[in-house]
Amino acid sequence: MGTYNIALVKGDGIGPEIVDSAVEILNAIGKKFGHTFNFTPYLAGGAAIDATGKPLPQETVDGCLASDSVLLGAVGGPKWDTLPADIRPEKALLGLRKAMGLYTNLRPSRLYPALKAECPLRPDLVENGYDLLIVRELTGGIYFGDRGRREGQYGPEAWDTEAYSVMEIERIARAAFDAARKRRKSVISIDKANVLETSRLWREVVHRIAEEEYPDVECSDMLVDNAAMQLVKNPGQFDVILTSNMFGDILSDEASQISGSIGLLSSASLGATPRGMYEPAHGSAPDIAGQNLANPIATVLSAAMMLRYSFDLGAEANCIEAAVDDVLNAGIRTADIVGASGATPIGCTEMTAELLKRI
Ligand code: IPM
Ligand code: MG
């Protein structure tokens, strides 16, 4: 019977609708299992730019750091796309990850049997389904390296740098191996060691951690270009994918699409404490915002991850995941997952109601 203080960063576009849906689900879980969830809203992204001129007000950082965990919708939209780099909505996301020390990003992707027909891969390639977890390093690499503009050999040029310390690689490797121990005990580490020095260090460190600390977990390497291909050729070969910030960004979008819809994919960003940030893997979808068309499932599943990883409430998380399975098995669909099923699509509020019935 716990009390948990959750910071809500609804953000932009469909953010508010899908976060409201997850809040309803959490309240129902609270009622069923005897927990109290307190929610405090904070501004970030375009909404914060409009209200305060800044994408990530200090009040939001302080509020998130004082919370037990953060639930985030999505940030960004065309309205803010032309702003200078330092006040773009994306700064809010990157700033929160850094300020909260969230170096581990978990992005699961699996094929729901009920959604097999929506998978864009040839049926024989996913006959046995797939179930993988991307463990993406989140506060290092080229995202946070030195960058700038300068005069180069051919005139004005721009540059970004990728740097990884042994410490950063060790801690993300441990996160991946720990996750693998709770799954099928296999880690494929993805890099570009045939070209990049950071990748060569990455490989060295990952193998040392594997041998010294996780002899029970299988560990192998794959080059990122090959990995991009293998994901659409044989996704079933992957259990845990361990990779850097930028490779993880790219591969996780690819992995999301092979599940049938990006509207189903949750994510967790974790650090050294139980406090995390949980958000759907998709964006703010400004084209459908405010029209009751969004699929809340990715955000609802992100809330389930919060219960499991931040609050250690496994049974409660299972209850949400079972409700999602049940809704999908019953053929209930939002527009993004209707596909060829012939179902009549329902809206975000109706989907929330269907999930609530099953909690
Ligand atoms: C993601 C997003 C972000 C990232 C952007 C919005 C900064 O693409 O969470 O994958 O690149 O990390
Ligand atoms: Mg991305």
Side-chain angles (χ1 to χ4, degrees):
M1 314 300 107
T3 297
Y4 304 92
N5 297 315
I6 299 172
L8 291 184
V9 181
K10 295 186 184 183
D12 308 316
I14 59 172
E17 304 162 55
I18 54 182
V19 170
D20 286 346
S21 168
V23 165
E24 282 191 57
I25 303 293
L26 284 171
N27 280 331
I29 289 286
K31 228 181 188 166
K32 177 166 174 155
F33 292 87
H35 305 300
T36 306
F37 298 109
N38 299 319
F39 301 100
T40 314
Y42 292 98
L43 289 175
I49 296 172
D50 288 350
T52 71
K54 291 182 205 149
L56 184 59
Q58 190 56 42
E59 196 195 333
T60 299
V61 176
D62 295 343
C64 290
L65 284 170
S67 73
D68 293 320
S69 243
V70 181
L71 186 63
L72 185 136
V75 295
K79 183 175 172 196
W80 307 281
D81 267 352
T82 51
L83 291 172
D86 56 324
I87 54 165
R88 285 178 60 95
E90 289 80 1
K91 267 271 156 189
L93 215 49
L94 301 174
L96 272 176
R97 289 171 182 168
K98 198 70 172 178
M100 295 175 67
L102 306 174
Y103 57 83
T104 303
N105 186 211
L106 304 179
R107 295 189 167 182
S109 172
R110 68 181 172 108
L111 191 65
Y112 285 88
L115 291 179
K116 254 189 173 163
E118 272 58 71
C119 174
L121 301 184
R122 230 170 47 214
D124 60 298
L125 300 178
V126 285
E127 217 170 76
N128 302 316
Y130 76 91
D131 180 350
L132 61 85
L133 175 68
I134 296 184
V135 179
R136 169 191 178 193
E137 199 291 325
L138 204 58
T139 52
I142 199 165
Y143 270 59
F144 292 94
D146 279 343
R147 60 172 56 89
R149 300 282 178 109
R150 63 190 171 199
E151 207 49 42
Q153 194 185 350
Y154 305 107
E157 64 179 27
W159 54 281
D160 297 274
T161 46
E162 165 114 337
Y164 268 114
S165 64
V166 170
M167 182 279 287
E168 289 172 299
I169 303 168
E170 283 175 346
R171 66 184 182 181
I172 193 67
R174 289 192 181 104
F177 289 118
D178 285 337
R181 274 192 173 152
K182 296 185 191 136
R183 298 172 47 98
R184 302 192 304 275
K185 295 197 176 169
S186 153
V187 170
I188 298 185
S189 173
I190 292 172
D191 61 36
K192 188 72 184 170
N194 52 349
V195 178
L196 303 177
E197 197 53 33
T198 39
S199 284
R200 289 190 271 268
L201 179 67
W202 183 279
R203 233 177 231 217
E204 256 170 65
V205 174
V206 167
H207 282 279
R208 175 169 53 76
I209 297 288
E211 279 154 36
E212 288 176 6
E213 301 175 30
Y214 299 88
D216 53 316
V217 179
E218 205 183 301
C219 174
S220 57
D221 309 293
M222 195 180 274
L223 295 172
V224 64
D225 47 351
N226 184 29
M229 179 181 74
Q230 295 297 334
L231 267 174
V232 291
K233 202 175 155 201
N234 178 14
Q237 73 188 287
F238 297 102
D239 177 16
V240 171
I241 288 176
L242 162 61
T243 194
S244 65
N245 205 342
M246 180 141 90
F247 295 159
D249 177 47
I250 298 167
L251 293 177
S252 62
D253 267 30
E254 188 185 1
S256 74
Q257 192 53 42
I258 59 176
S259 77
S261 170
I262 196 167
L264 296 177
L265 292 194
S266 53
S267 83
S269 301
L270 305 166
T273 72
R275 182 190 309 111
M277 185 160 81
Y278 299 82
E279 55 177 308
H282 60 70
S284 60
D287 52 321
I288 59 163
Q291 298 168 53
N292 192 30
L293 288 173
N295 183 352
I297 290 180
T299 315
V300 168
L301 289 173
S302 300
M305 289 182 97
M306 174 187 288
L307 297 178
R308 177 172 295 120
Y309 292 110
S310 283
F311 306 153
D312 203 16
L313 300 175
E316 289 81 344
N318 289 342
C319 177
I320 293 181
E321 288 162 358
V324 169
D325 283 347
D326 201 45
V327 155
L328 295 176
N329 289 335
I332 297 165
R333 301 280 189 269
T334 44
D336 57 308
I337 47 175
V338 157
S341 70
T344 309
I346 59 171
C348 185
T349 53
E350 293 76 22
M351 180 56 97
T352 308
E354 291 291 344
L355 292 167
L356 283 171
K357 274 192 223 163
R358 293 165 169 84
I359 296 287

